Amino acid sequence: MEKSTVVRVGSRKSQLALIQTETVIKSLKLHHPHLEFEIITMSTTGDNILDKALSKIGEKSLFTKELEVALAKREVDFVVHSLKDLPTTLPPGMMIGAVCRREDPSDAVVMHPKYHDIISLEQLPNDSVIGTSSLRRIAQLQRRYPHLKYQSIRGNLNTRLRKLDEDNAYSAIILATAGITRLGLKDRITQKLPSDVCMHAVGQGALAVEVREDDTETHNLISCINDNDTALCCIAERAFMKTLEGGCSVPVAVHSSITHGKIVLSGGVFSLDGTECVVGTHSIVEKDGGATRYSENGMKLPNMFCGISIHSVPDSDLRTAEQTGVQLAEQLQKQGAQEILNNVRQFNVSL
Ligand code: DPM
């Protein structure tokens, strides 16, 4: 890029979104000190509709669509998202060109200040109300803590923390550890939930940089901040979700790691009340070659795996990651995962 180029970066307006965007820009500046960046902020449907539970708005790209429109119109060069808000299929012409190193992907409990002596959900009195709009969190926590009640809470993280402290409607709320930590509010965390209590959402804790798939220049520019292990784990998680045809509003949860160079993916599908569940763990070693993609005018396009395209990892490894997710989903489908999800969807539509 030319010395004088200003790179335009799209971001949501919330404090968390801006911190995330600034973090990405800061890392990029270390590699490209001569470049200047300008942040262009916009509101999304998810930011504007605050009186409904996410699962009832019924759109998949709630927090991303408006930003993607700006990207398509070339009003911005790339967009920074929480990967977990990006659907597993991106709009045509878009791709995730880099996934940054993942923070702690767990969920965390923040207790009401009046419970300063309580350190776990288990200790809360019967019928205490837990604030979360995530069906995934509700389903898993109901299994473990049937003595508690669960109620929707919306708004950005700061709003939720204020509602917890001031409204007296909730005894505790559940938030992503990564979000609270990025806001500098780590000391509000009472308890981090281990994966045997609550597996996290697909892509949780990772930041994604979305670019136009034909914009090789920007893709090359942002590649330096990609973290290969995070990208591989997230491809496996997204392939799991995609095969199950899940979205952000179904109780699908995962946990992944790379052990001795192999991806180990755990996943689960839950009924809304948590009474039914199918969980499993999967890992594979065999690798797959795969084919080259071409655009309409014959230009070679980067290969994409659940929307993610990474230069620095051989396609065979990316494909193996994808297959890990696909195969785990197929395993769970044989054990009844699809029936559970069909019931969840029916219930959501009738609400
Ligand atoms: C998605 C979900 C939630 C967000 C559903 C889920 C949480 C909704 C809620 C797909 N996106 O997790 O099962 O709690 O009512 C969101 C957060 C972050 C990104 C906040 C959070 C920050 C963490 C990250 C909202 N999106 O989960 O507490 O970057 O991974």
Side-chain angles (χ1 to χ4, degrees):
M1 280 206 184
E2 299 281 308
K3 248 199 155 77
S4 59
T5 311
V6 175
V7 184
R8 295 153 310 161
V9 188
S11 172
R12 287 171 56 210
K13 285 182 181 157
S14 74
Q15 190 193 354
L16 179 62
L18 283 171
I19 288 175
Q20 296 181 168
T21 303
E22 279 158 11
T23 306
V24 164
I25 291 177
K26 214 167 148 191
S27 313
L28 283 171
K29 273 190 171 162
L30 291 176
H31 294 87
H32 308 284
H34 60 286
L35 281 182
E36 289 203 31
F37 296 85
E38 180 194 354
I39 300 178
I40 297 172
T41 59
M42 45 202 97
S43 296
T44 62
T45 311
D47 296 312
N48 294 331
I49 307 178
L50 288 172
D51 54 348
K52 276 192 184 176
L54 284 184
S55 52
K56 294 181 196 160
I57 304 176
E59 258 209 63
K60 269 194 174 178
S61 39
L62 275 184
F63 291 108
T64 56
K65 198 169 175 180
E66 287 77 1
L67 293 158
E68 283 166 334
V69 168
L71 188 56
K73 287 199 215 150
R74 299 174 186 266
E75 289 165 8
V76 294
D77 300 305
F78 68 80
V79 178
V80 178
H81 305 277
S82 277
L83 180 58
K84 87 160 167 172
D85 293 330
L86 276 176
T88 49
T89 303
L90 301 182
M94 302 294 145
M95 68 182 183
I96 298 165
V99 183
C100 303
R101 198 185 151 81
R102 187 177 229 171
E103 311 240 358
D104 183 337
S106 70
D107 286 324
V109 180
V110 180
M111 288 288 173
H112 189 281
K114 74 180 172 199
Y115 288 128
H116 51 84
D117 54 343
I118 287 188
I119 56 161
S120 115
L121 289 178
E122 205 163 353
Q123 299 170 340
L124 279 172
N126 283 352
D127 297 327
S128 295
V129 175
I130 309 303
T132 173
S133 312
S134 156
L135 301 181
R136 172 187 63 80
R137 289 171 181 153
I138 297 172
Q140 292 183 89
L141 292 177
Q142 268 187 338
R143 287 180 76 76
R144 182 62 72 117
Y145 306 110
H147 70 294
L148 303 175
K149 292 197 160 143
Y150 300 88
Q151 207 174 78
S152 176
I153 183 167
R154 287 288 322 277
N156 62 40
L157 260 62
N158 299 312
T159 311
R160 289 185 196 204
L161 288 165
R162 204 190 56 236
K163 282 185 182 169
L164 171 69
D165 294 348
E166 292 173 8
D167 286 6
N168 266 321
Y170 309 96
S171 299
I173 57 174
I174 316 291
L175 297 169
T177 301
I180 312 174
T181 307
R182 289 185 199 124
L183 283 178
L185 298 172
K186 210 173 174 175
D187 38 344
R188 294 278 338 239
I189 295 176
T190 312
Q191 174 192 15
K192 282 188 191 172
L193 298 171
S195 61
D196 62 332
V197 173
C198 189
M199 282 191 280
H200 58 76
V202 165
Q204 187 161 312
L207 299 182
V209 183
E210 189 177 22
V211 295
R212 288 182 298 273
E213 75 178 344
D214 60 0
D215 186 358
T216 315
E217 193 179 5
T218 307
H219 193 195
N220 288 338
L221 170 83
I222 57 150
S223 289
C224 55
I225 58 169
N226 182 68
D227 182 74
N228 291 345
D229 284 1
T230 305
L232 286 166
C233 283
C234 290
I235 287 172
E237 294 176 8
R238 284 167 68 80
F240 174 69
M241 174 84 126
K242 188 173 179 176
T243 308
L244 292 171
E245 294 173 338
C248 67
S249 55
V250 293
V252 169
V254 292
H255 183 73
S256 64
S257 62
I258 297 196
T259 313
H260 306 303
K262 273 197 308 183
I263 300 169
V264 182
L265 177 69
S266 299
V269 172
F270 304 84
S271 64
L272 288 177
D273 61 3
T275 52
E276 287 174 78
C277 88
V278 179
V279 292
T281 298
H282 187 61
S283 190
I284 47 176
V285 275
E286 65 268 29
K287 295 191 179 173
D288 184 344
T292 308
R293 292 195 317 138
Y294 292 93
S295 72
E296 275 167 21
N297 55 16
M299 202 173 86
K300 187 171 175 283
L301 286 173
N303 272 330
M304 261 201 273
F305 301 87
C306 295
I308 300 180
S309 173
I310 304 299
H311 293 317
S312 49
V313 180
D315 276 0
S316 56
D317 288 352
L318 299 169
R319 206 171 297 278
T320 304
E322 185 175 58
Q323 279 307 309
T324 308
V326 170
Q327 290 177 14
L328 178 63
E330 286 169 354
Q331 262 178 36
L332 299 197
Q333 277 166 339
K334 284 188 194 130
Q335 298 167 43
Q338 215 58 53
E339 288 70 26
I340 295 179
L341 287 178
N342 290 344
N343 283 337
V344 170
R345 287 195 194 98
Q346 251 174 5
F347 186 72
N348 257 344
V349 168
S350 67
L351 282 174

